[in-house]
Amino acid sequence: MPQFFRKDTPGYWDRYPAHIADMGKVMAASGLTPATLHVMGEPGDESAPAALIFTMAPGAVIDRHAHKCERFELILEGSLHVEDTVLGPGD
């Protein structure tokens, strides 16, 4: 049976599988809260695809960094400035 979540559902935020439970602390330290992680598969499967959902305050900056995995970003609200490009909802 599929599960449906709304961002105001109790327990929606701060969902992290046990093997990356510290991710909540990392997100909080970076000011990227509230945040939550949805695993597409078994929560304990470290190779399962996952979606990290987080919020950023207006004017927030994330330093340039890299990931060891493929990833994509989807802007739901507001905008994101990446070098000379401004991304908005749906980009």
Side-chain angles (χ1 to χ4, degrees):
M1 183 77 145
Q3 291 183 328
F4 297 93
F5 298 96
R6 298 179 66 106
K7 64 183 182 180
D8 58 352
T9 300
Y12 175 80
W13 298 107
D14 296 317
R15 295 166 34 98
Y16 299 98
H19 66 280
I20 55 171
D22 287 343
M23 181 61 94
K25 294 176 187 171
V26 171
M27 298 303 288
S30 301
L32 304 175
T33 55
T36 191
L37 189 125
H38 294 275
V39 176
M40 275 49 99
E42 294 298 320
D45 181 356
E46 295 184 25
S47 65
L52 176 62
I53 301 168
F54 61 91
T55 58
M56 296 175 62
V61 174
I62 298 177
D63 293 332
R64 183 178 289 270
H65 63 282
H67 296 267
K68 294 181 180 181
C69 60
E70 293 184 43
R71 65 183 181 82
F72 70 90
E73 297 172 358
L74 177 63
I75 312 304
L76 300 177
E77 298 176 318
S79 61
L80 177 67
H81 297 246
V82 181
E83 297 177 357
D84 295 331
T85 303
V86 178
L87 304 172
D91 290 336

